[in-house]
Amino acid sequence: MPERPLNRRAWMKLGLAASGASALGLGGCEEESAPSGDASAAGDKSRANDLERWRAMKAEPYQVGDFGAMPGVCNLPGPEAKRNWPDPDKYRNVQRVPGMCQLCSTVCGIVGYVKDGRLIKIEGHPNDPNSRGHLCARGHAGLNHLYHPERLLYPLKRVGKRGEGKWKRISWDEALDEIAAKLRAVRESGRPEEFAFHQGRQRSKDILKRFLDAFGTKTQLSHRALCSGSRRAANLTYLWESDWDLNDVEHTKYILNFGSNAFEAHQGHVPFATRIQNGRFRNGAKLVTFDVRLSNTAGSSDEWFAPFPGTDGAIALGMAHAIVQAGRHDTEFLQQWTNVSIEELEEHLEPYTPEWAESVSGVPAADIARIALEFAAAAPACTTMCNRGSSAHINGYYNDRAIQLLNAIVGSVGKQGGWCWSPWSGLDPIVETPPMPPGAKTWSVLEDPPEFPLANVWRRMRVGEIIYLYLLQGRARLQAYMTYNLDSPLTWPEESLTQQVLCDESLIEFHVCINCFYNETAHYADIVLPWATYLERWDLDARGSYNLRPYVGVRKPMVEPLGEAKDVREFFPELAKRIGGGMEQWFQESVEEYMEQWASNVPVNPATGKGGLERLLEEGFWESDRQPYYEPYLRELSDDELSDSEVDPDSGVITKDGVGIGVMLQGKAVCGFATPSRKFEVRSLFVEKIGANADCSELIALSGVKASNRHANHQGHDVEIDAMPTWFQPVEHQRLADDELIMTSFKWNVHNHGRTMNLKWLAEIVHSNPAWLNPKTASAFGLQDGDWIEVTSYHSAEVEARNPHLTHGQAEPTSGRRVVASMRVPIVTMQGIHPRVIAMSNSCGHTQYTSVAQAKREAPAAEHLAGSNPSAYHDDDWRRNMWWEDPSGGDPARWRRNTGSGWNQNKLMPIAPDPVSGQQAFHDTVVTIKKVVPA
Amino acid sequence: MSDASSQANNDTRRAAHGLYALLSRLWLREPDQALLELLQHGDVAEACQAVAPELVAAAGQATCDDLAVDFCRIWLGPTDHLPPFQSVWEGGQFGGQAATSMQPYLAMSGYTPPLEFNTSMLDHLGVQLDWMRHWLEQFQGAQPEGAPEDFPATVQRAFFRKHLSWPHALLAQSESRADTSFYRAVVRLTRDFLARESRRLGLAEMEG
């Protein structure tokens, strides 16, 4: 619209009137924001006439296109950027700040280059003992995360109906007052467990636990059951002291990979993948992969087999059978270090022949036997590896238990180049937080559902996927719900059920969402708090290290948080003070003081004279000089340890005050495994008993490891668990009809599940997720590459049989199958997928995340034609040059390949927990498909 | 320069100062009741009636809550909003060159922005308008001793060219995105004023 023709007098009059009214509060925010008593602030007239500063600027300080003059900008590709590349001054006078990535769970060390208060580059930190300076694409895209134009910058309060999307800005004071009032009421109601804290990826365990324990609720919900519950449970049955195998792939000769896409999506991602490649190229290791899909890991392997979904455990048992039958097992290890005899093992494995394994998996028996013997021949420098590919199944616990058994049979357990672990899953225990409040004692069915016996025995492995259903069923009530870095409608199964519950104020009375960005969870919140990114906040952090010894790294603010974003370390103390009732006593230190205390035991570096936090801030990381955790079971007990101990004459188990500390081995007192028998427990009496709610206190005491008898509320929820590694196939897979397929999910190397599709550099690489189908399958359904299909998914009959309380949804009159949902998607045909499988990647299909995540670009304005005029060049790559925007509106006839933001696969996925561990089965869903004929 | 001419220049500067003050207030924060009162009654309201009558009318019809919702929807989000930051419109991210180049202007003028606008976010349109208010307030037409000829105006022109000539697309889209007549009027007033200022400072019309 053109400027209106107004006379000068009218403008003058308004301006003069407004100038006179400025004392009433117009303009001039400086007066209210200037720190009191600060002479350098607004009132200091001497700075107002700082001609020297003006002269120092020499010229106009900002010229479009003059990329050399202004530091601090990471220019996206464009004609001017290329013309001025490389910029020799870009990294002059930068500050290098250590940190740790958090764009996936691996938390690789990073170095931030900060210039004039702006982060201009992120690279891997060479001092990180785990990632050793490597950083993936996600890590580099942290700049997109930090400076994303749609970040949440202010607290927001809902003003419309929940889910309507109407908000207004409120101050932090208003937000904290309202939240505190609600939480105080929950606390005073006598039902503190009705305040649930629900976390997505979190790396600030200490402060969350501090807040929740101080409040008095144990209802801390997590996504562990969506991630790794079965693998952890299987490992714990063998080891007790660790739930995480750290395969020593760098020193190995043979890697047997059951379904893990370690080059793209493993929790140990870069540290693990680089070590696998070192093992292969420096050590000549062979990598064999079983995966229903030709992942980038499978494609990089020496051999790849595509088994029928969920049959990893059957293949492993077939291999175990082949090794034992061929006499290639490690007799010494089995006899000394497992709690079964070779005869027992042989008898147990007798039915699991390679031919039987072929009958269920489709992998040729000859290959199963051949690979088994190759694996055994490489022992002890050989290891299995697995992850969600084998564990995210209804039979995932048994899959992983069978897989891990192979390492015991060939004697690679704990050996260099073998199947290892460490008791340090995170920070070196040398660092200790300031005193923590006593643990909360509440119980909630959401946090500890009684139907899943191994979910919360050794570690808290909450069965996250059932919580919204349980709320809908009225099994729990939430007065207050605080979500943190969570995107449950996108990452949880049954999107529509999740949305229904989040929207219902009678089920969730009050919802506070803490996040860096508005997303599908924030959409259903009552208050949204802007969270500081991992580049703007403090933590000490570490991962289970593939060096097999613990370490400590630091995450510190590289730059000031944008807008009014804050970390929980900053506002939880303030919230605790407002809630009161004693909570405040646990939040006395400033963040910096807290960090200094926490890191105070980091030893002094003799070369620099710096220790504690000072050392971490300078070096980024500290790693102890402990020996790698090889064969820990052989460590001899000291005289001190043995004093006042007793030896059981039958088992050789050494106890002290009733607690197991070791075992006798050929006349020597050694540490052994941290299990009740001090052996690698192939037969786990504990799981058999715990499933039946039997008293396990004696076994727990013997182990010396913190574990629990099941809660009194679990009585009546017995689950039969086989003490031995075994395997079963879900009933719906056994009777899979010709027109049925099994849907699996996967992840790309540039994304995590719910948080990275907003990052332009990553979304440009992968932004959509058509379904993969084998060409033979496509042909059988009359489909061609690029066609659209309607997928209809069904609940698991196996889950319903084992956990009838989870049954919901309408049953089809003819088949009796219960439909979860239907969705239309295009297909791509790929040879690299099992013919009975349809696969879709996750991460896609956002509806409330940023415009980049939704592939919605801004319409180009006339003056914003990128690159058309170098003299007026604007770098419009971010939002206007989003070439993959899909204008088809979901119309298959208009859709173009490789456009759009994809589809949320979790619309189709049913709630399907492994009945033993509770892990969500993301790879078992039975679906039917039919071609969509374009209008 | 005659006294009359000097007075006219001073009035022009004071008027510009007042409009920068009014507009920065409107862009930086949601209106409160006092601001709505100011726009409905008294000298400002009377003068505004001639320049932006729809603003006066809208101020009388809207509630602070309604306006806070619209302010949030247009400029704060959380979705489909138009962040009023120069870097976002020029480079697609917060903290671009435009934010960096604000720093020396702040340093030389002694201006302190609102607390939430840290170094990566100084290029908010409201901060830029407020910086101009501050600059005009600091000099009141006086030529500092030892300064280059026409120093205050030189700086104004430089600043305006670099930091107030950009928001055409923002303004156009904000006007169409606004739900309330109040914010449509705010956007039009801003656009008209910046066009006049561009001429007053002897600069070319804003692009577009």
Side-chain angles (χ1 to χ4, degrees):
Chain A
M1 189 179 288
E3 183 188 353
R4 289 167 295 191
L6 292 169
N7 64 42
R8 180 174 175 273
R9 187 181 300 275
W11 280 99
M12 287 287 290
K13 191 175 174 187
L14 174 58
L16 290 169
S19 187
S22 61
L24 298 175
L26 288 187
C29 294
E30 59 194 316
E31 287 80 4
E32 67 187 41
S33 59
S36 59
D38 182 356
S40 66
D44 184 354
K45 299 286 183 185
S46 65
R47 287 182 59 191
N49 297 320
D50 194 341
L51 300 178
E52 289 309 309
R53 285 177 187 270
W54 171 250
R55 292 190 180 107
M57 290 161 71
K58 292 181 180 171
E60 293 165 350
Y62 170 40
Q63 293 180 332
V64 171
D66 185 1
F67 290 89
M70 278 294 134
V73 177
C74 187
N75 290 298
L76 299 170
E80 288 297 331
K82 286 175 184 168
R83 190 169 300 166
N84 290 286
W85 186 89
D87 174 359
D89 294 326
K90 185 167 182 180
Y91 299 113
R92 190 169 292 167
N93 300 323
V94 296
Q95 185 190 0
R96 288 165 52 95
V97 186
M100 296 181 81
C101 188
Q102 204 192 323
L103 283 177
C104 80
S105 63
T106 309
V107 297
C108 296
I110 54 175
V111 180
Y113 288 71
V114 178
K115 192 167 187 174
D116 292 341
R118 192 188 197 275
L119 184 64
I120 61 171
K121 179 185 177 182
I122 300 170
E123 65 181 20
H125 200 307
N127 291 351
D128 181 344
N130 214 19
S131 62
R132 302 190 290 205
H134 300 286
L135 191 66
C136 75
R138 285 169 292 218
H140 289 280
L143 289 171
N144 290 178
H145 184 70
L146 177 63
Y147 294 118
H148 197 297
E150 291 164 74
R151 267 190 63 178
L152 290 168
L153 300 175
Y154 304 97
L156 301 175
K157 180 176 179 174
R158 171 171 68 88
V159 292
K161 291 179 182 172
R162 190 183 283 174
E164 188 182 347
K166 283 179 76 174
W167 302 89
K168 71 171 183 179
R169 170 164 62 175
I170 57 174
S171 69
W172 270 99
D173 264 347
E174 290 173 281
L176 293 178
D177 278 347
E178 186 167 340
I179 297 165
K182 184 65 188 177
L183 293 185
R184 193 184 314 114
V186 177
R187 204 163 181 239
E188 291 171 356
S189 73
R191 298 187 301 277
E193 71 277 7
E194 292 184 1
F195 165 42
F197 185 88
H198 196 174
Q199 67 206 29
R201 180 71 56 206
Q202 67 89 8
R203 303 304 303 176
S204 304
K205 186 177 176 182
D206 62 301
I207 191 71
L208 304 185
K209 182 169 170 48
R210 178 176 295 274
F211 182 79
L212 296 173
D213 281 342
F215 180 88
T217 181
K218 206 174 170 183
T219 314
Q220 184 179 9
L221 311 173
S222 75
H223 71 281
R224 179 147 288 178
L226 276 65
C227 179
S228 53
S230 284
R231 177 178 166 202
R232 291 175 190 270
N235 287 339
L236 284 161
T237 64
Y238 287 123
L239 301 169
W240 282 60
E241 70 174 336
S242 176
D243 59 1
W244 206 242
D245 50 314
L246 293 161
N247 324 115
D248 193 20
V249 289
E250 194 160 54
H251 303 106
T252 198
K253 290 288 188 186
Y254 208 102
I255 306 167
L256 206 44
N257 173 24
F258 289 93
S260 169
N261 188 9
F263 290 177
E264 300 193 81
H266 194 280
Q267 289 89 338
H269 188 216
V270 164
F272 193 37
T274 52
R275 283 170 173 83
I276 290 172
Q277 293 300 67
N278 285 345
R280 299 177 71 199
F281 293 106
R282 294 180 189 169
N283 207 32
K286 181 172 180 178
L287 173 62
V288 178
T289 293
F290 297 89
D291 193 330
V292 297
R293 188 183 65 89
L294 185 66
S295 69
N296 279 324
T297 308
S300 302
S301 300
D302 298 290
E303 292 190 58
W304 166 61
F305 297 90
F308 189 85
T311 59
D312 308 73
I315 295 168
L317 290 171
M319 289 184 170
H321 176 104
I323 293 167
V324 173
Q325 283 299 309
R328 303 296 294 277
H329 53 277
D330 185 331
T331 304
E332 186 180 328
F333 183 85
L334 286 170
Q335 285 180 336
Q336 286 182 352
W337 287 116
T338 70
N339 63 345
V340 292
S341 68
I342 292 172
E343 293 72 28
E344 276 179 284
L345 190 60
E346 208 166 5
E347 186 181 340
H348 174 72
L349 293 172
E350 198 273 329
Y352 302 123
T353 63
E355 290 73 23
W356 165 81
E358 178 181 346
S359 73
V360 292
S361 72
V363 177
D367 286 320
I368 292 174
R370 171 180 59 83
I371 291 166
L373 298 184
E374 286 178 6
F375 183 71
C382 63
T383 180
T384 61
M385 60 182 255
C386 59
N387 207 26
R388 275 186 289 270
S390 60
S391 68
H393 290 277
I394 296 164
N395 58 2
Y397 163 77
Y398 287 113
N399 274 338
D400 282 16
R401 205 154 141 69
I403 292 165
Q404 317 303 32
L405 172 68
L406 284 170
N407 301 286
I409 287 177
V410 301
S412 68
V413 174
K415 303 282 175 57
Q416 187 175 43
W419 186 82
C420 299
W421 70 97
S422 88
W424 310 289
S425 59
L427 294 169
D428 190 302
I430 197 172
V431 294
E432 292 178 14
T433 61
M436 297 287 282
K441 302 292 185 195
T442 60
W443 181 85
S444 164
V445 72
L446 299 179
E447 193 268 342
D448 185 22
E451 297 86 359
F452 306 96
L454 292 191
N456 292 324
V457 173
W458 289 283
R459 311 276 170 93
R460 309 308 292 175
M461 300 195 297
R462 304 156 182 95
V463 188
E465 67 269 36
I466 52 84
I467 59 172
Y468 296 114
L469 179 60
Y470 280 18
L471 284 167
L472 195 61
Q473 291 175 337
R475 294 185 64 183
R477 173 172 176 260
L478 290 181
Q479 296 184 59
Y481 181 55
M482 185 177 278
T483 53
Y484 171 77
N485 202 22
L486 179 78
D487 197 354
S488 51
L490 193 90
T491 56
W492 251 241
E494 295 191 42
E495 177 195 45
S496 60
L497 186 145
T498 304
Q499 290 169 331
Q500 178 190 350
V501 173
L502 286 173
C503 201
D504 191 333
E505 293 179 52
S506 71
L507 301 176
I508 297 174
E509 293 178 20
F510 181 65
H511 176 189
V512 179
C513 174
I514 303 166
N515 216 344
C516 298
F517 293 90
Y518 192 74
N519 67 2
E520 288 76 13
T521 301
H523 191 59
Y524 298 104
D526 302 315
I527 289 180
V528 176
L529 298 178
W531 187 35
T533 70
Y534 66 94
L535 302 163
E536 302 164 319
R537 57 184 165 82
W538 287 98
D539 279 316
L540 294 188
D541 205 351
R543 258 289 187 183
S545 172
Y546 286 92
N547 289 351
L548 303 177
R549 56 174 167 256
Y551 66 100
V552 182
V554 68
R555 186 178 289 121
K556 78 167 292 258
M558 295 181 175
V559 292
E560 298 171 72
L562 293 196
E564 293 182 358
K566 293 184 183 186
D567 182 32
V568 290
R569 291 191 189 283
E570 198 176 346
F571 71 81
F572 269 4
E574 187 57 37
L575 189 55
K577 282 173 196 153
R578 293 175 196 223
I579 295 169
M583 276 190 80
E584 63 278 10
Q585 67 180 294
W586 300 104
F587 298 91
Q588 296 302 311
E589 307 89 352
S590 69
V591 176
E592 286 77 7
E593 288 168 347
Y594 182 93
M595 296 301 299
E596 279 172 10
Q597 284 189 50
W598 193 8
S600 59
N601 289 339
V602 171
V604 171
N605 181 346
T608 63
K610 292 178 181 174
L613 186 62
E614 194 181 18
R615 178 175 183 179
L616 289 180
L617 291 178
E618 181 164 295
E619 300 173 31
F621 293 84
W622 170 77
E623 184 185 35
S624 74
D625 56 3
R626 292 174 199 260
Q627 290 300 304
Y629 204 63
Y630 290 131
E631 299 180 90
Y633 44 90
L634 293 181
R635 181 181 68 80
E636 289 189 40
L637 297 178
S638 67
D639 289 344
D640 270 0
E641 288 173 303
L642 286 170
S643 69
D644 300 326
S645 65
E646 296 175 28
V647 180
D648 183 281
D650 296 327
S651 65
V653 172
I654 307 165
T655 57
K656 195 169 177 176
D657 300 327
V659 177
I661 60 169
V663 67
M664 295 305 295
L665 174 69
Q666 297 169 342
K668 288 183 188 169
V670 296
C671 179
F673 290 84
T675 58
S677 65
R678 310 305 295 184
K679 302 284 181 71
F680 186 90
E681 293 203 340
V682 174
R683 178 186 296 283
S684 177
L685 295 178
F686 177 81
V687 298
E688 205 173 50
K689 294 180 79 170
I690 204 84
N693 293 293
D695 180 16
C696 295
S697 52
E698 189 180 347
L699 294 173
I700 292 168
L702 272 175
S703 75
V705 170
K706 187 181 173 189
S708 59
N709 265 316
R710 294 184 74 197
H711 196 280
N713 290 341
H714 292 212
Q715 296 302 323
H717 295 281
D718 291 1
V719 175
E720 189 178 325
I721 313 177
D722 200 311
M724 292 291 283
T726 182
W727 186 81
F728 72 92
Q729 187 167 38
V731 63
E732 62 269 26
H733 290 191
Q734 293 176 35
R735 62 189 188 202
L736 194 69
D738 288 345
D739 68 339
E740 292 178 330
L741 300 170
I742 296 174
M743 174 164 269
T744 70
S745 78
F746 65 96
K747 196 179 290 176
W748 291 102
N749 55 358
V750 294
H751 285 300
N752 65 36
H753 200 157
R755 291 181 289 126
T756 50
M757 197 53 82
N758 64 329
L759 307 181
K760 177 76 185 292
W761 295 348
L762 305 181
E764 186 157 13
I765 299 168
V766 174
H767 43 260
S768 189
N769 58 341
W772 290 33
L773 270 187
N774 188 290
K776 283 183 190 167
T777 312
S779 176
F781 282 91
L783 295 166
Q784 292 185 333
D785 194 77
D787 282 349
W788 280 60
I789 56 172
E790 182 169 287
V791 187
T792 300
S793 61
Y794 304 94
H795 287 279
S796 162
E798 184 75 40
V799 168
E800 290 178 355
R802 289 176 182 254
N803 287 116
H805 71 288
L806 298 178
T807 303
H808 62 288
Q810 293 291 322
E812 284 183 337
T814 50
S815 68
R817 297 174 301 191
R818 292 178 194 280
V819 174
V820 179
S822 294
M823 187 164 77
R824 291 182 168 200
V825 294
I827 63 162
V828 289
T829 55
M830 298 268 186
Q831 293 286 349
I833 188 166
H834 192 284
R836 301 309 304 274
V837 170
I838 178 170
M840 283 178 73
S841 72
N842 51 36
S843 313
C844 296
H846 285 278
T847 56
Q848 298 296 333
Y849 214 25
T850 69
S851 56
V852 174
Q854 296 180 66
K856 292 194 297 190
R857 64 177 171 175
E858 289 290 322
E863 74 279 20
H864 284 89
L865 297 175
S868 61
N869 177 3
S871 67
Y873 175 69
H874 295 283
D875 190 346
D876 287 332
D877 189 56
W878 184 271
R879 293 206 294 179
R880 296 174 186 85
N881 186 20
M882 204 178 303
W883 52 262
W884 59 93
E885 185 184 41
D886 173 18
S888 74
D891 177 0
R894 295 173 56 216
W895 180 76
R896 287 182 297 110
R897 186 186 293 269
N898 203 15
T899 62
S901 60
W903 300 266
N904 178 13
Q905 189 199 24
N906 277 318
K907 185 177 178 183
L908 296 169
M909 293 292 178
I911 294 166
D914 177 317
V916 176
S917 71
Q919 172 159 0
Q920 167 67 16
F922 277 121
H923 305 315
D924 286 339
T925 305
V926 172
V927 302
T928 54
I929 62 173
K930 65 180 181 186
K931 183 174 181 176
V932 173
V933 180
Chain B
M1 186 182 291
S2 68
D3 285 351
S5 169
S6 174
Q7 181 60 39
N9 282 342
N10 277 337
D11 284 352
T12 302
R13 269 190 297 274
R14 275 186 56 219
H17 167 266
L19 279 155
Y20 279 118
L22 175 63
L23 289 172
S24 65
R25 169 65 183 85
L26 287 165
W27 279 86
L28 285 171
R29 292 195 302 275
E30 301 83 342
D32 54 17
Q33 198 54 44
L35 178 61
L36 294 185
E37 292 289 331
L38 195 73
L39 292 171
Q40 293 175 75
H41 309 291
D43 292 349
V44 172
E46 188 186 332
C48 199
Q49 191 65 45
V51 174
E54 65 273 33
L55 185 62
V56 177
Q61 293 161 0
T63 67
C64 288
D65 270 357
D66 289 343
L67 296 179
V69 171
D70 208 26
F71 183 97
C72 189
R73 211 178 54 76
I74 307 167
W75 293 313
L76 301 182
T79 57
D80 295 328
H81 56 296
L82 305 165
F85 292 85
Q86 188 177 357
S87 294
V88 171
W89 290 82
E90 290 185 347
Q93 302 183 52
F94 287 129
Q97 289 173 315
T100 308
S101 80
M102 285 290 291
Q103 291 179 39
Y105 284 107
L106 267 62
M108 67 175 288
S109 66
Y111 173 75
T112 306
L115 282 178
E116 73 267 28
F117 294 100
N118 65 22
T119 51
S120 296
M121 308 189 71
L122 295 171
D123 55 345
H124 186 284
L125 178 58
V127 175
Q128 294 170 332
L129 291 165
D130 198 39
W131 186 89
M132 280 292 261
R133 173 204 60 80
H134 170 85
W135 186 254
L136 288 164
E137 199 168 279
Q138 291 295 315
F139 284 99
Q140 302 287 341
Q143 178 74 4
E145 191 178 332
E149 189 178 348
D150 199 20
F151 170 66
T154 301
V155 175
Q156 274 185 64
R157 275 195 295 274
F159 184 84
F160 193 96
R161 187 184 298 119
K162 299 311 166 199
H163 291 299
L164 283 171
S165 298
W166 64 272
H168 180 81
L170 165 69
L171 297 175
Q173 292 187 34
S174 296
E175 188 174 3
S176 61
R177 196 73 63 91
D179 265 353
T180 58
S181 54
F182 183 88
Y183 277 111
R184 281 192 292 275
V186 167
V187 170
R188 293 183 64 174
L189 182 65
T190 308
R191 189 198 58 221
D192 292 351
F193 173 66
L194 290 178
R196 293 188 67 84
E197 274 293 276
S198 181
R199 287 197 297 274
R200 179 179 76 82
L201 294 168
L203 303 170
E205 280 279 358
M206 288 168 61
E207 289 178 26

